Amino acid sequence: MNSELNIAVNDREELIYLLTEAAEFEHVVMCTYLYAQWSLKRHESEGISKAEKDAIDGWRASIRTVALEEMLHLALVNNLLAAFGAAPHFSRPDFPIRQGYFPSDLDFHLAPFNEQTIQHFVFIEHPEDIEVKDGEGFAHESHYQRVVCTDLLTPTARDYGTQGHLYHGIAQAIRRLARELGEERLFVGHGEAQLSSAEFPLPGLFEVTGVETAMKALDEIVKQGEGAPAHREDSHYARFEKIRREFQALKQARPDFEAALPAAINPVLTEFADDARVMRVSNSRARRVVDLGNSVYGLMLHTLAQVCAPAPLPSGLREGLSEVSSDLMRYLAVIGEAAVRLPICDDKPGVNAGLSFALPRSFGQLVQANAAQILSERAAELADACVALEQRVALPGVADGLADAAARLAEMHGRFESHFTVMPTPQTEPEQPAEARPARDDVPSSGNSDNVARSDEIEITFDVDRCIHARRCVLGAPAVFLANVQGPWLHPETDSVEHLVHIAQSCPSGAITYRRLDGGPDEAAPQVNTVELRQNGPYAAHATLQIDGQPCLYRATLCRCGKSKNKPFCDNSHIEANFEATGEPRTVPSEPLAERGGELHVTPVRNGPLKIRGPLELTSGTGRTVIRTQYTKLCRCGGSANKPFCDDTHLRIGFRSDK
């Protein structure tokens, strides 16, 4: 990092002040990106061609990726705050942000996607050594300089030109304070107040424990944003530059091309004094949608803040709260896109509404013995409001999702919070040792005696409901697995026990299982949990599987086309449906896992994705590691534009997981 960009920081209080401003910066930027993304058109019926729609879909995916990485940056900044002993910071100023709150060159307000907005995004993310103009309508009218007071005990603002400059100053302050105070005295926070990949599927999220990991966090934020010091094609700056060039090319080909719906600039719900910078949402339907969206947004942040409670919480409660906050963000996207399709008021034709991201004033942690109860109460209120609203506006999946969130939060309260005074840190049950695991004959079978056979040495069980006809059995051991015959078709007595073990363990669906009768070892848990992406086909899991709370040792093929009649398992419906999904997606940078085996919990979310929690290496069809993670959500509706990961398409297409 550039040592010439000095931002004077005298003590821990000023460092915390600076990191708090950094948290607000990342939060504000994320909201502006989401607002622009939600304004993008989705259908050719909205006045775009097929080629233009394809380009817009690509921009939407790219901006969504950037917004998720801004969420990662916000999480890393809050991990830094926690590492220094401070509380998390999820508050921020409401839009439009008055001049003077940030340095003069940083102007933030909500605006739909257009050439000026994209140029503004390029400006926000530009590297320090590149001169870039801000988008028209975004530049501050007055170029003031913040008054920097370095002689006060009270923390005061610092001036900076770019986000890179800000983070360079923070890095310098951390190094200096670590030298003066000592690293152990500076990093006094604990990991339980930080966010990790065990709670959130954000690649690159990790705990800050000292100077080295602090520098790594700051370096990653700057590189993902600016792409500096070396150019990165996947940096935010490079992504927005690419979008700007592509937009200009389409605009040149068709001057009346508009990529977005006419969402308002700085929509607001509350009564403002005359202010040319805002537009009040007065249409009755739009007001209710924006109000619901703001409320879901506030609930999401309250829930996220509770995960980072300074006092340690039980791991199960942290994970549950994290999942609810992630789901609320998904419902927020549905509401955000609905808002920009409604008129903002009756006397301004051609201008639509949009979420204003208005926040309640308080974001401190709730009383821990009742936090989930209070959050559940709010989620239930919003679910009831959404049920009434859905009679007038389509909000697919939101009411059911909010009701489900309320139920899960209530369950968390009963499971964890009522025990805080007696058992402050309840732990999940330890994994059973291998000898205590269920016997192999506990694996579900079809119940047909023709599908169970034994020799003196081994018993073979075949589950017809799990089979995807990979044919490794009939090709590898044709004398044992007789195809197209009536009556008994399994003959383990015709082959060696070791070869039959090999055949069973090569069955990707787990349809073939065995129990050794000769005293030899039964199938052991894999040392590394994997889910392999089959080209145009299912997910092939190999792990100590718990699927929807039930043991499913140790292999399974799970539907990702959305068409299986045996969900969550694959039944080869992807073939008839001509499902297309690469088995070789791009590699997502991720850190090695401390533990690579153990239980892998797969939860098929009702009408939603496969939620996977536990150590996992997601691999391509050729065995390349796509991502290492402890928590992710994989698409199973077949429609995600970000396969294999869920991007909430299931909400828009009305995916149903019911059999």
Side-chain angles (χ1 to χ4, degrees), residues 314-633:
S315 59
L317 180 55
R318 282 169 56 86
E319 291 170 2
L321 291 170
S322 300
E323 289 173 10
V324 168
S325 66
S326 294
D327 290 342
L328 291 172
M329 188 67 204
R330 296 170 187 272
Y331 309 144
L332 184 65
V334 176
I335 302 170
E337 290 202 15
V340 299
R341 284 165 169 78
L342 295 171
I344 192 168
C345 58
D346 297 332
D347 58 351
K348 289 187 171 60
V351 180
N352 290 358
L355 254 61
S356 61
F357 295 97
L359 287 176
R361 289 200 171 192
S362 170
F363 275 100
Q365 279 73 43
L366 299 167
V367 175
Q368 290 187 359
N370 301 96
Q373 173 192 343
I374 295 169
L375 296 170
S376 172
E377 176 186 295
R378 182 59 169 164
E381 292 170 355
L382 299 184
D384 290 343
C386 189
V387 169
L389 182 56
E390 282 187 333
Q391 298 175 12
R392 303 176 64 190
V393 181
L395 298 170
V398 177
D400 287 345
L402 290 170
D404 179 65
R408 282 187 285 158
L409 288 163
E411 189 273 335
M412 288 178 221
H413 171 65
R415 182 181 174 194
F416 295 106
E417 293 181 341
S418 60
H419 304 302
F420 270 146
T421 56
V422 178
M423 187 172 59
T425 55
Q427 300 296 317
T428 56
E429 294 182 5
E431 182 184 358
Q432 293 176 306
E435 63 269 19
R437 291 183 185 137
R440 297 304 301 158
D441 54 6
D442 286 345
V443 177
S445 70
S446 65
N448 189 335
S449 60
D450 289 340
N451 295 328
V452 181
R454 67 173 61 190
S455 68
D456 293 338
E457 299 174 305
I458 193 170
E459 180 181 89
I460 294 291
T461 300
F462 179 79
D463 186 347
V464 66
D465 292 332
R466 296 272 295 280
C467 180
I468 62 167
H469 306 290
R471 304 190 73 236
R472 295 181 182 178
C473 54
V474 297
L475 295 179
V480 178
F481 301 90
L482 306 183
N484 304 316
V485 298
Q486 296 294 321
W489 67 286
L490 296 175
H491 296 277
E493 73 279 0
T494 63
D495 208 339
S496 71
V497 65
E498 298 300 336
H499 188 229
L500 287 176
V501 166
H502 167 73
I503 292 295
Q505 292 186 4
S506 67
C507 174
S509 67
I512 301 172
T513 55
Y514 66 91
R515 183 164 61 98
R516 292 190 68 154
L517 307 175
D518 63 350
D522 286 333
E523 184 171 357
Q527 294 182 348
V528 180
N529 295 337
T530 60
V531 170
E532 177 189 325
L533 302 172
R534 296 297 182 91
Q535 181 78 15
N536 302 330
Y539 303 109
H542 186 208
T544 306
L545 290 164
Q546 291 277 340
I547 298 181
D548 212 9
Q550 299 299 315
C552 189
L553 311 178
Y554 288 103
R555 288 158 284 116
T557 44
L558 303 172
C559 174
R560 68 165 173 155
C561 72
K563 305 297 184 182
S564 173
K565 298 176 180 62
N566 188 34
K567 296 181 182 73
F569 302 104
C570 171
D571 69 354
N572 278 340
S573 291
H574 57 274
I575 298 173
E576 184 177 349
N578 294 317
F579 176 64
E580 294 185 0
T582 181
E584 298 291 333
R586 67 180 182 88
T587 299
V588 180
S590 55
E591 297 294 321
L593 299 170
E595 299 291 337
R596 305 174 73 190
E599 286 191 351
L600 192 69
H601 295 263
V602 180
T603 303
V605 177
R606 182 173 179 266
N607 304 330
L610 290 172
K611 181 177 67 180
I612 302 182
R613 186 177 293 282
L616 170 66
E617 293 199 18
L618 188 67
T619 68
S620 71
T622 57
R624 171 178 53 85
T625 296
V626 175
I627 189 173
R628 307 173 186 88
T629 183
Q630 296 184 72
Y631 176 43
T632 192
K633 292 184 179 180

Side-chain angles (χ1 to χ4, degrees), residues 129-183:
D129 57 352
I130 296 180
E131 194 72 29
V132 174
K133 289 184 178 180
D134 204 346
E136 184 179 348
F138 285 91
H140 279 173
E141 296 176 1
S142 59
H143 288 275
Y144 53 84
Q145 185 172 358
R146 275 177 155 182
V147 176
V148 177
C149 302
T150 60
D151 60 335
L152 300 178
L153 292 174
T154 304
T156 56
R158 299 292 184 258
D159 213 20
Y160 49 89
T162 66
Q163 61 173 322
H165 185 183
L166 169 63
Y167 285 116
H168 288 147
I170 291 172
Q172 292 168 356
I174 292 171
R175 288 196 186 99
R176 187 175 66 79
L177 290 174
R179 288 194 303 268
E180 293 178 359
L181 298 176
E183 191 168 359

